Amino acid sequence: MEAHAPGRDVSAEVAARLREAITSGRFMPNERLVEADLVTFLDANRANVRMALAMLDQEGLVVREPNRGARVRLLSDVEAIEIAEARRAIETMVARQAAERAGDDDRSVLQGIITDMKAAVAASDPVTYSRLNARLHREIQRIAANATASRLLQTLRSQLVRLQYQIALFPGRPAQSVVEHANIVAAICAGDGAAAEAAMRTHLDQVVANIRSAVTAARAGML
Amino acid sequence: MEAHAPGRDVSAEVAARLREAITSGRFMPNERLVEADLVTFLDANRANVRMALAMLDQEGLVVREPNRGARVRLLSDVEAIEIAEARRAIETMVARQAAERAGDDDRSVLQGIITDMKAAVAASDPVTYSRLNARLHREIQRIAANATASRLLQTLRSQLVRLQYQIALFPGRPAQSVVEHANIVAAICAGDGAAAEAAMRTHLDQVVANIRSAVTAARAGML
DNA sequence: ATTCTCAATATTGTCAACAATCTTGAGAAC
DNA sequence: GTTCTCAAGATTGTTGACAATATTGAGAAT
């Protein structure tokens, strides 16, 4: 009857490590993921590696072909845009729910992030800004308290990390983005669900447009 | 250099069979999924059964606990509603895209389904109606040509099949539903994306409301 | 030089045995 | 009668060997 150690699910943990490796760029898109190599890299046995690959396949981060192994999934242009559009559809709903459910402490957290964002923009610090950006979206999800939506958003976003990086570095993008974020926070703090949804949509319209630019730039061989 | 048989992925196929078994009600929510039993039921080896369970866990149809095996996931009330809300967010977008992309042949297909729906309602045939309902939503997805959204919708809907059944049998529901569907189709055929999105939202607002009723009814022990 | 063949290698897929953990039920202790 | 103990059985987790398939590269044929 002891407090029993977590008893973590090994294959899920292996999958988490592999996910992190892929999203952090340790493996490139289309790169082969050879099971034997992953066994040593992830410090796991082959059965768990295979299960992890199956999960990440289901998740859309990896593609498997029978008898030919797994590769990091390479997104086509249209897939990248589709994913960004799906994210927009879900996250606008989340913004509305956050506005309906935010408490006083939640509001001050959000406003604090906006303050830090403005400082980061003033200091021309895109790395810090990118981190605050991620944190703001996470906080909004937490406030919305919609676990299903959060799960969907996490998988959608993990498929786009590489592009997100490039977008955050678009010249002038943070300066514009911080205004959009401030509008979202203002609407949430006012408890105005419709306004929060609209502000989030405006923001994510920009993100979708930027991804369109990014993929056409990539197609033109500029990356 | 021959045309090489598909070379189907066995674990994916096993997962598909198990998914079908769960969504069709062969296994009840919370029912234990013992690996040895699944080996005989699915005619597969344990390695593939375990991979299938991992995939369906990732998909949200199954829950696994370390050293305690897998069960059919039992949705809580809030989870069921969250899933319906997420579906609404995605499918309204799909309706808009379908309106923007529908061709003449697409329009006639959709209108044909509406005609059949009216006939099914007139004949008080909820089973046929339910089938047409599923078919209409599938056709709209096909027309929208958004593979990512279709994939998300498929997994979301698979988690709700049991509830969907009950809702289709709500007295008077088909008669109301057919009007909503006709409005969606009219907007799509008119190429009016905004109207299609609004009509789909109206329709799915009803679905969400019905799921709220269904879960509260279930909680009251009426099912 | 190019293409073809095919054996050697690399890699994935399957399987069964074993280990680790959990669950059950009969009997002991109270 | 109820609770506790713990051994037997049931189930999940891990490992290694083997089979099946794909890839590679050197040499043959043209």
Side-chain angles (χ1 to χ4, degrees):
Chain A
M1 206 65 79
E2 69 278 49
H4 234 268
R8 72 279 150 70
D9 180 338
V10 180
S11 68
E13 232 173 54
V14 174
R17 282 202 290 272
L18 181 53
R19 184 186 299 114
E20 163 64 21
I22 292 174
T23 57
S24 71
R26 172 71 181 73
F27 297 109
M28 291 292 120
N30 243 341
E31 181 171 346
R32 280 190 67 187
L33 298 171
V34 177
E35 294 176 4
D37 298 347
L38 295 180
V39 164
T40 67
F41 178 71
L42 299 171
D43 189 30
N45 56 38
R46 243 186 92 202
N48 282 324
V49 166
R50 283 170 68 74
M51 288 178 79
L53 287 171
M55 294 200 268
L56 266 52
D57 179 8
Q58 193 69 27
E59 195 172 321
L61 224 53
V62 153
V63 290
R64 289 186 307 153
E65 281 178 300
N67 290 316
R68 305 198 46 192
R71 297 172 171 275
V72 178
R73 183 169 173 202
L74 170 66
L75 291 185
S76 70
D77 298 2
V78 297
E79 284 169 329
I81 293 167
E82 284 178 1
I83 291 168
E85 289 172 339
R87 180 195 161 191
R88 178 178 57 188
I90 299 285
E91 204 159 357
T92 52
M93 174 187 77
V94 167
R96 171 186 287 270
Q97 293 179 337
E100 293 165 351
R101 296 169 191 175
D104 287 344
D105 39 356
D106 296 326
R107 295 190 182 93
S108 56
V109 168
L110 296 181
Q111 287 161 337
I113 294 174
I114 295 294
T115 303
D116 294 348
M117 276 182 158
K118 286 174 178 166
V121 169
S124 296
D125 182 351
V127 174
T128 298
Y129 183 80
S130 178
R131 211 169 292 153
L132 289 166
N133 179 22
R135 175 139 167 263
L136 176 62
H137 286 272
R138 263 205 314 277
E139 288 293 332
I140 292 173
Q141 285 173 50
R142 179 187 58 74
I143 295 167
N146 186 326
T148 301
S150 293
R151 218 161 30 87
L152 290 171
L153 287 175
Q154 169 138 354
T155 73
L156 290 174
R157 194 155 24 214
S158 74
Q159 301 182 27
L160 291 178
V161 272
R162 209 171 319 282
L163 290 171
Q164 304 262 25
Y165 259 112
Q166 297 158 5
I167 290 164
L169 301 178
F170 270 25
R173 175 67 187 137
Q176 184 191 352
S177 169
V178 72
V179 176
E180 297 163 8
H181 283 132
N183 288 337
I184 295 168
V185 168
I188 292 175
C189 291
D192 186 339
E197 183 173 335
M200 181 64 87
R201 179 168 300 277
T202 299
H203 173 52
L204 293 179
D205 282 345
Q206 290 300 318
V207 174
V208 170
N210 283 325
I211 286 183
R212 285 185 200 274
S213 309
V215 295
T216 50
R219 194 194 327 225
M222 295 167 140
L223 298 178
Chain B
M1 206 68 79
E2 69 278 47
H4 235 270
R8 72 279 151 70
D9 181 337
V10 180
S11 67
E13 232 172 54
V14 173
R17 282 202 291 272
L18 181 52
R19 183 185 300 114
E20 164 63 21
I22 291 174
T23 57
S24 72
R26 172 71 181 71
F27 298 108
M28 290 291 121
N30 244 342
E31 181 172 346
R32 279 190 67 186
L33 298 171
V34 177
E35 294 176 3
D37 298 347
L38 295 180
V39 164
T40 67
F41 178 71
L42 299 171
D43 188 31
N45 57 38
R46 246 185 91 203
N48 281 325
V49 166
R50 284 170 68 74
M51 288 179 79
L53 288 172
M55 296 204 271
L56 266 53
D57 179 9
Q58 192 69 28
E59 198 172 320
L61 224 54
V62 153
V63 290
R64 290 186 305 154
E65 280 178 300
N67 290 317
R68 306 199 47 191
R71 298 172 170 276
V72 178
R73 182 169 174 202
L74 170 66
L75 292 185
S76 69
D77 299 2
V78 297
E79 283 169 331
I81 294 167
E82 283 178 2
I83 290 168
E85 289 173 339
R87 180 194 162 191
R88 177 178 57 187
I90 299 284
E91 204 159 357
T92 53
M93 174 186 78
V94 167
R96 171 186 287 269
Q97 293 179 337
E100 293 165 351
R101 296 168 192 177
D104 286 344
D105 40 355
D106 296 326
R107 294 190 182 93
S108 56
V109 169
L110 296 181
Q111 286 162 338
I113 295 174
I114 293 295
T115 302
D116 294 347
M117 276 183 158
K118 286 175 178 166
V121 169
S124 296
D125 182 351
V127 174
T128 299
Y129 183 80
S130 178
R131 210 169 293 154
L132 289 167
N133 179 22
R135 175 140 167 264
L136 176 61
H137 285 272
R138 263 204 316 277
E139 288 293 333
I140 292 172
Q141 286 173 48
R142 179 186 59 73
I143 295 167
N146 187 326
T148 301
S150 293
R151 217 161 31 88
L152 290 172
L153 286 174
Q154 169 137 354
T155 72
L156 289 173
R157 193 154 24 213
S158 74
Q159 300 181 26
L160 291 178
V161 271
R162 208 169 321 279
L163 290 171
Q164 305 263 25
Y165 259 112
Q166 297 159 4
I167 290 164
L169 301 178
F170 270 24
R173 175 68 188 137
Q176 184 192 354
S177 170
V178 72
V179 176
E180 297 163 7
H181 283 131
N183 288 337
I184 295 168
V185 168
I188 291 176
C189 291
D192 187 339
E197 182 173 336
M200 181 64 86
R201 178 169 300 278
T202 298
H203 173 52
L204 293 179
D205 282 345
Q206 289 300 318
V207 174
V208 170
N210 284 325
I211 285 183
R212 284 185 201 276
S213 310
V215 295
T216 51
R219 194 190 333 219
M222 296 169 140
L223 295 178

